[in-house]
Amino acid sequence: MPNSSRNKTAVADGISLATPSWRIPFRSIEPLVWGLDCIIILASSIVSGFAYHRWVLGSGGDLETSIAIGLLVAVNFTTVLAARGSYKPLGLIALQSRLKEVVTIWFIVFSLLLAVVFLLKVGATLSRGAIGTFLVVGLTSLIGWRTLLGSYLTKAFAHGSFAERRVLVIGGADEIDYSAGLYRLRRCGYRPIESFPVLESDFETASGMSERLRDVLSEAIRTAQSGRVEEILLAIPWDQRRLIDSIVAVLRVVPIPIRLAPDRSIEGLLHKPRKEIGSTWVVDLHRGPLTLSECAIKRAFDIVLSSVALITLAPTFLIAAVLIKLDSRGPVFFSQLRNGFNNKEFRILKFRTMTVMEQGAEVKQATRNDKRVTRLGRWLRRSSIDELPQFLNVLRGEMSLVGPRPHAVVHDDEYKILISRYAFRLHLKPGITGWAQVNGLRGETATVDLMEKRVDLDLWYINNWSLWLDIKILLRTFSAVMGQKEAY
């Protein structure tokens, strides 16, 4: 009879179990957090009503009204979050985005509550002070609770400290030892108490089942029937459908779940977003351009801030224009063709900082101590004042405040050949500043390796865009400009 390799829980994949003693089952996280949200909101309503009436009005308050308001807010708040999938464990770890979501939905729910109160004309029976206190106390309590929860879940995922779910693993040796899918399951509390390797010769069986495999499955069934196993995991390549069906047919005598773990061929897809469409689901391999609502939000943000910037910086524009004319011959502004969203060409505007106005098939990037740069131009470039006219490009809709930096058309054509994913940068409007720039990649890209790093950062920004990320980049831009020396 073949030997099974026992994988004790304490040594699985080197995951340390030196973690908090309080462990919860991974599958219980979603309903548990939902229930605790409801309890916290209801308790906040009761406490707020009692405290306001006792300490401000000197009365005992109306317990029934506080309970009714708390239940109304709790049901609406948690229903919206549940519909958005915000109670998924991995989502709860993304603390920053989830806290913003909690704050936003909390105020939306309260706005709806006030609208209902107004329409039903029951405002006279409610205390505005108690409602205001509930708004503040409830939101503060939720933020504090979610912060503690996020900290606990982060540690639990890092150390695999969820309540154990004992499993038996059947599969190829490579899949058992190196599968990213199994590793992720272990982080969620799945503990292989015993594994049964299947040989490659079993994969090649065209019909029937090898005697060796029958012996392996017989031993696996005896182990499963001992009561020590809660689930059976198959770690077999997904293209071995005939073998998988045969194994499942034999294992059906055991009254426990049998599940197929992701194989090594799809490991790269495990971190990709997944969407349910009808009765099936698809994996997002390549994000498309922003949706209409996202485009509207980003465009409104661009218009407001670029308008404010142009009005505020008008004196700077005037001074720079006068100094440029006094420093060297030539126009105040420099314009050059660049590729924008969806490869649409536009003319970018800058203050002139060179003695040349390069266009066409050959454009040389500025380098350190470049003789083409004027005395004033060197300071304008280092301080990034030369980029300020691009607020006009933003206002005209050709650029955005934040996005991948545009390059000369001739450089775009060159890099599209050298870097296969380069063209993906054009899925978003180019920006005055960008994620690459605030991460140190500003100025000349002397090598293809440097450009590849910049492209990687630009693509990360495109795939992870949010309005908050734009704000964060804008806030970091000033310090990045002051601290970096890459612009010449």
Side-chain angles (χ1 to χ4, degrees):
M1 183 176 292
N3 293 324
S4 61
S5 59
R6 297 180 180 274
N7 293 332
K8 300 300 182 183
T9 55
V11 297
D13 270 356
I15 295 177
S16 171
L17 300 183
T19 50
S21 57
W22 182 59
R23 298 183 180 185
I24 58 176
F26 181 80
R27 297 181 180 184
S28 300
I29 295 174
E30 190 168 349
L32 182 61
V33 174
W34 177 85
L36 287 174
D37 274 357
C38 290
I39 293 173
I40 289 171
I41 294 171
L42 181 59
S44 297
S45 178
I46 295 173
V47 170
S48 299
F50 177 81
Y52 181 80
H53 284 86
R54 175 57 61 90
W55 295 333
V56 177
L57 302 179
S59 62
D62 187 348
L63 180 61
E64 292 182 358
T65 300
S66 296
I67 292 176
I69 293 174
L71 287 174
L72 180 64
V73 173
V75 169
N76 284 277
F77 179 80
T78 56
T79 299
V80 173
L81 287 182
R84 291 172 56 86
S86 301
Y87 286 114
K88 301 295 183 183
L90 289 178
L92 294 171
I93 293 179
L95 186 61
Q96 190 178 65
S97 61
R98 289 309 176 206
L99 287 184
K100 289 188 295 182
E101 182 182 55
V102 165
V103 172
T104 301
I105 295 176
W106 183 255
F107 280 105
I108 290 175
V109 168
F110 260 86
S111 299
L112 293 174
L113 173 63
L114 294 177
V116 170
V117 168
F118 175 78
L119 291 174
L120 297 180
K121 299 180 179 181
V122 295
T125 63
L126 300 177
S127 169
R128 287 176 293 180
I131 293 293
T133 304
F134 175 34
L135 187 150
V136 175
V137 171
L139 181 59
T140 303
S141 300
L142 284 172
I143 290 176
W145 143 242
R146 288 302 186 89
T147 302
L148 293 174
L149 175 67
S151 176
Y152 171 79
L153 290 179
T154 298
K155 292 179 181 178
F157 273 108
H159 300 286
S161 62
F162 292 103
E164 293 184 358
R165 185 168 181 81
R166 300 183 304 277
V167 298
L168 180 152
V169 182
I170 300 174
D174 288 345
E175 294 290 340
I176 292 174
D177 294 335
Y178 304 111
S179 170
L182 282 179
Y183 174 76
R184 286 175 170 83
L185 288 173
R186 289 186 178 104
R187 292 178 64 194
C188 297
Y190 281 70
R191 296 288 177 264
I193 64 169
E194 200 162 337
S195 61
F196 296 85
V198 177
L199 302 179
E200 290 187 11
S201 58
D202 296 314
F203 293 173
E204 298 169 359
T205 303
S207 61
M209 185 177 293
S210 67
E211 193 64 30
R212 199 208 71 86
L213 181 56
R214 290 185 181 277
D215 291 341
V216 168
L217 296 181
S218 296
E219 185 178 352
I221 289 172
R222 282 192 292 272
T223 302
Q225 290 175 333
S226 67
R228 297 186 298 121
V229 177
E230 299 172 85
E231 192 170 315
I232 296 176
L233 283 178
L234 300 185
I236 297 174
W238 285 19
D239 60 354
Q240 299 294 329
R241 181 59 185 271
R242 185 190 298 271
L243 178 64
I244 292 171
D245 290 342
S246 299
I247 291 176
V248 171
V250 174
L251 295 177
R252 283 197 180 110
V253 298
V254 183
I256 58 176
I258 303 171
R259 294 189 167 94
L260 181 64
D263 69 355
R264 297 175 66 193
S265 67
I266 65 162
E267 287 177 1
L269 304 179
L270 295 177
H271 66 283
K272 299 286 186 181
R274 191 182 74 179
K275 293 183 179 179
E276 293 185 5
I277 301 177
S279 59
T280 187
W281 56 268
V282 294
V283 175
D284 284 342
L285 300 178
H286 178 82
R287 172 173 177 161
L290 302 184
T291 63
L292 289 176
S293 60
E294 290 172 333
C295 287
I297 293 172
K298 189 170 176 63
R299 181 62 182 145
F301 184 70
D302 286 342
I303 291 175
V304 172
L305 264 68
S306 60
S307 299
V308 172
L310 288 170
I311 294 172
T312 305
L313 297 172
T316 305
F317 272 66
L318 181 59
I319 295 171
V322 172
L323 292 177
I324 290 171
K325 294 300 290 185
L326 293 175
D327 181 62
S328 60
R329 294 180 180 180
V332 171
F333 295 105
F334 165 72
S335 69
Q336 189 180 66
L337 280 178
R338 301 287 171 97
N339 286 320
F341 174 71
N342 201 24
N343 219 39
K344 183 178 180 180
E345 290 186 351
F346 71 98
R347 286 197 170 273
I348 194 172
L349 294 175
K350 294 186 178 186
F351 283 123
R352 182 178 60 82
T353 59
M354 290 186 171
T355 57
V356 296
M357 302 279 285
E358 292 180 336
Q359 303 280 357
E362 187 173 348
V363 177
K364 182 181 178 182
Q365 289 189 27
T367 59
R368 190 180 297 275
N369 301 320
D370 197 317
K371 294 181 179 180
R372 300 171 300 165
V373 180
T374 65
R375 290 173 300 173
L376 177 65
R378 197 170 304 281
W379 179 78
L380 291 175
R381 295 173 72 90
R382 185 162 290 136
S383 62
S384 290
I385 290 178
D386 66 315
E387 309 282 0
L388 295 183
Q390 290 165 43
F391 283 114
L392 292 169
N393 290 115
V394 174
L395 201 59
R396 294 193 307 206
E398 298 161 336
M399 293 179 63
S400 179
L401 292 173
V402 182
R405 283 294 295 162
H407 303 126
V409 174
V410 61
H411 293 154
D412 277 346
D413 294 339
E414 176 185 352
Y415 286 124
K416 284 177 185 176
I417 298 173
L418 297 174
I419 305 173
S420 60
R421 57 193 183 280
Y422 182 86
F424 188 28
R425 300 171 76 252
L426 302 179
H427 277 217
L428 209 61
K429 286 182 182 179
I432 296 178
T433 184
W435 186 240
Q437 283 64 47
V438 298
N439 281 283
L441 292 176
R442 174 174 177 259
E444 181 191 12
T445 50
T447 66
V448 176
D449 287 343
L450 280 176
M451 180 55 75
E452 286 183 333
K453 291 179 181 178
R454 178 178 287 188
V455 170
D456 287 340
L457 290 171
D458 287 338
L459 299 192
W460 183 92
Y461 167 76
I462 293 172
N463 283 316
N464 294 275
W465 178 86
S466 69
L467 182 60
W468 173 247
L469 181 58
D470 276 4
I471 295 173
K472 178 181 178 181
I473 292 172
L474 289 174
L475 292 175
R476 288 181 56 183
T477 293
F478 180 77
S479 60
V481 169
M482 293 296 102
Q484 298 294 332
K485 303 298 181 183
E486 286 84 356
Y488 313 125

